[in-house]
Amino acid sequence: MSAGTLIAIIIPAVVLLALLAVALRIFIRRRHLEERFGPEYERTVDAGGSRLAAERELREREERHDALEIKPLPSSVHDRYAQDWSRVQEMFVDRPSDAVEEADRLVTALMSDRGYPTEGFEQQVKDLSVEHGRTLEHYRAAHEVTLRSGRREATTEELRGAMVHYRALFDELLEDRGGQPAA
């Protein structure tokens, strides 16, 4: 074989291998994001207009999250939150709207104690999405009812649903030991 023939075979083969490597890298990165963010991946893609832009945003969320100091709760604080939640549930019987607002405050306080910034709902959602993407719809639904409750537009059944939604995220945040075994 001549040198020209070898070059004609080797260059396309190298280009093909490079393209396959790039495609594999994109596939692996996308799969990682889909698994880590769960339903939040598709939601972000739908909202972002472009898959590449959405994936860039999700990687930025990961980087921000990785810089946070998310920590497990000491047993005494864990127990206090569990008791506080029981109190909020009992409050629901007589004052459902107040109970939902208190549940919102309790979830926010728990987030803060775990190390999540709480500077606004949208940022909270983004920060939570990295580790809690599967329960984020619960938080969104509960928050929406809380806003409507503040305007006196929520029914008692919607308030009950909000409590259930808050409880889903609350339980996940409370029981997440940051990779540490439960006490």
Side-chain angles (χ1 to χ4, degrees), residues 28-125:
I28 290 171
R29 185 173 51 201
R30 180 168 293 159
R31 186 82 170 155
H32 162 77
L33 292 172
E34 288 173 341
E35 288 175 4
R36 183 150 196 197
F37 286 90
E40 186 66 12
Y41 175 87
E42 284 303 323
R43 180 182 177 84
T44 305
V45 168
D46 292 344
S50 129
R51 188 170 296 276
L52 290 176
E55 289 177 353
R56 186 177 322 109
E57 178 184 332
L58 293 173
R59 284 191 305 276
E60 289 170 2
R61 289 183 192 184
E62 278 185 315
E63 289 172 11
R64 176 180 161 94
H65 183 273
D66 291 347
L68 300 174
E69 292 185 35
I70 307 301
K71 56 194 174 287
L73 296 172
S75 293
S76 61
V77 175
H78 175 278
D79 294 346
R80 179 180 50 92
Y81 272 110
Q83 291 169 356
D84 288 349
W85 184 264
S86 293
R87 183 183 48 78
V88 169
Q89 284 185 300
E90 290 170 7
M91 177 192 303
F92 185 83
V93 174
D94 294 322
R95 300 184 341 255
S97 185
D98 292 343
V100 168
E101 288 178 23
E102 184 61 25
D104 181 64
R105 282 192 290 276
L106 193 58
V107 166
T108 302
L110 176 55
M111 288 172 51
S112 179
D113 281 353
R114 291 288 318 277
Y116 286 97
T118 56
E119 65 242 17
F121 178 74
E122 288 305 318
Q123 188 59 53
Q124 289 174 358
V125 167

Side-chain angles (χ1 to χ4, degrees), residues 6-21:
L6 280 175
I7 291 173
I9 292 172
I10 292 174
I11 289 178
V14 168
V15 169
L16 180 61
L17 286 175
L19 290 174
L20 286 173

